[in-house]
Amino acid sequence: MRKVQITKLKTPYVSVEGSYGGNQGWFKPAEGTTGKDSRGLSVRKAKTLEGFGCGLIGGSDIILHLLGRSVLSNGSEKGYFKVRTEDNLESGSAISKKEYENYILQMEKKFFHILPKLGISGVLLALNFNIYFFLNRKNIRKKTGYSFLARWGVLPRNILIRIKEMLSEDIPVIISIGPGFFHSNKLNFYNKIEKMPDDNKPGKASDAKTYLFKPVTKTKDHYVTVTGVEEYPTVDGSKIMLEISSWGKKYYVNFAEYLEYVKKNDNFYFSNILYIRKKW
């Protein structure tokens, strides 16, 4: 029997006090707040970040994953970051929520500006990535040995190919679940549950592991970040599950369901990926 094929990031993804990636919900205004909060956010601004900040979180997390902890605290007003010898995510201390929130607010101010009730489009997301890469090109090349170039969207038949390509290069992938104008359907998110083997059933290896995917929530008009691809063999092919980060948690998306959602409810302009490639 064919084995499960897994394509994942080479290094650990962003974790903030145990989260799996950032969470726009952390910017929800405290109940009873009327003026600005301790972060200097007005109620309106906090609600905008909470409700429409998924692109901001995804973009900022990718830069943090690619370039390490140095981007958290030592950027200048022009958007530059300094190279330090020990700034990988896995080598330093855990990222605190306060440290992370300050970083997100700076990234929103300088690059991924969020518009009330609109968020940020895929095209603007790519543009602002490229502005960041250009401003920091010398330090990025010094740290990584190459530069990056981003663009919004690939041909539908190439979405999975490009996702696996980027993951193999240790680049997380922003994927959009489009707004589906005039449609109410949403896309399922799943939790993966390990099912222990039943030793009483004949023909079952005692150490064989199987997994169940349980739907736990659903959404639309949302960016998530792909951190892995898991391909499970089936009788008629394979079931492809995308491991994703959303709202600070790890979920899974059935890739076939994603494609079906786009075909029936949206289009591949709004529902696509941010393709980032290395430039040597």
Side-chain angles (χ1 to χ4, degrees):
M1 185 176 180
R2 290 181 297 134
K3 294 182 178 180
V4 177
Q5 294 184 359
I6 297 178
T7 307
K8 301 191 73 168
L9 295 172
K10 296 178 180 178
T11 56
Y13 191 55
V14 175
S15 177
V16 182
E17 298 183 4
S19 72
Y20 194 68
N23 183 354
Q24 67 203 72
W26 293 336
F27 293 93
K28 180 179 181 179
E31 191 171 344
T33 301
T34 54
K36 292 187 176 181
D37 62 17
S38 59
R39 300 165 297 194
L41 291 177
S42 66
V43 173
R44 182 184 179 187
K45 186 67 173 180
K47 287 183 176 180
T48 296
L49 294 179
E50 178 200 3
F52 305 94
C54 50
L56 164 66
I57 296 293
S60 301
D61 281 2
I62 287 178
I63 288 173
L64 181 55
H65 180 88
L66 292 176
L67 303 177
R69 294 183 55 87
S70 57
V71 302
L72 287 171
S73 58
N74 59 10
S76 73
E77 284 303 311
K78 292 184 178 181
Y80 301 119
F81 77 92
K82 300 175 183 177
V83 173
R84 299 186 302 200
T85 56
E86 293 186 1
D87 61 359
N88 292 329
L89 294 178
E90 64 271 21
S91 65
S93 59
I95 300 173
S96 70
K97 188 179 291 187
K98 182 177 180 180
E99 186 179 27
Y100 179 81
E101 288 178 349
N102 288 338
Y103 164 66
I104 292 296
L105 293 178
Q106 287 299 309
M107 293 300 288
E108 197 273 340
K109 178 181 178 182
K110 299 173 186 177
F111 298 101
F112 304 124
H113 183 62
I114 303 303
L115 299 174
K117 300 187 183 301
L118 292 175
I120 184 170
S121 71
V123 172
L124 284 178
L125 199 59
L127 174 63
N128 285 286
F129 260 101
N130 287 328
I131 291 173
Y132 185 94
F133 292 149
F134 176 77
L135 290 177
N136 293 282
R137 60 194 181 281
K138 292 182 180 179
N139 282 327
I140 290 175
R141 186 168 288 277
K142 182 178 179 180
K143 177 173 174 56
T144 66
Y146 35 73
S147 56
F148 298 94
L149 184 65
R151 82 164 191 256
W152 177 252
V154 299
L155 293 174
R157 65 174 180 268
N158 290 334
I159 289 177
L160 185 62
I161 295 171
R162 297 306 182 203
I163 288 175
K164 293 168 72 173
E165 172 192 319
M166 287 177 60
L167 294 176
S168 297
E169 295 286 349
D170 199 34
I171 305 173
V173 187
I174 289 177
I175 188 169
S176 173
I177 304 161
F181 297 114
F182 312 115
H183 294 275
S184 60
N185 296 327
K186 297 182 178 182
L187 183 68
N188 281 322
F189 285 5
Y190 295 85
N191 279 342
K192 183 169 75 171
I193 303 171
E194 182 178 336
K195 183 180 179 182
M196 298 306 294
D198 188 345
D199 294 330
N200 296 321
K201 289 186 177 181
K204 291 284 186 179
S206 60
D207 60 348
K209 291 182 180 180
T210 57
Y211 296 95
L212 299 175
F213 290 91
K214 178 182 178 182
V216 289
T217 187
K218 57 178 63 177
T219 192
K220 60 182 285 191
D221 199 10
H222 187 50
Y223 292 108
V224 301
T225 305
V226 181
T227 58
V229 176
E230 301 182 4
E231 301 175 67
Y232 294 85
T234 62
V235 175
D236 56 351
S238 62
K239 178 170 72 173
I240 301 171
M241 303 298 293
L242 305 181
E243 177 190 83
I244 65 166
S245 165
S246 181
W247 302 303
K249 297 180 180 180
K250 180 187 292 186
Y251 293 108
Y252 292 83
V253 165
N254 185 309
F255 186 62
E257 290 181 1
Y258 172 78
L259 295 178
E260 191 69 13
Y261 169 85
V262 180
K263 291 174 182 177
K264 289 185 176 181
N265 305 281
D266 204 64
N267 60 69
F268 285 103
Y269 176 79
F270 292 110
S271 293
N272 213 301
I273 65 169
L274 182 77
Y275 178 45
I276 300 175
R277 62 180 178 88
K278 294 179 179 178
K279 293 178 61 182
W280 300 94

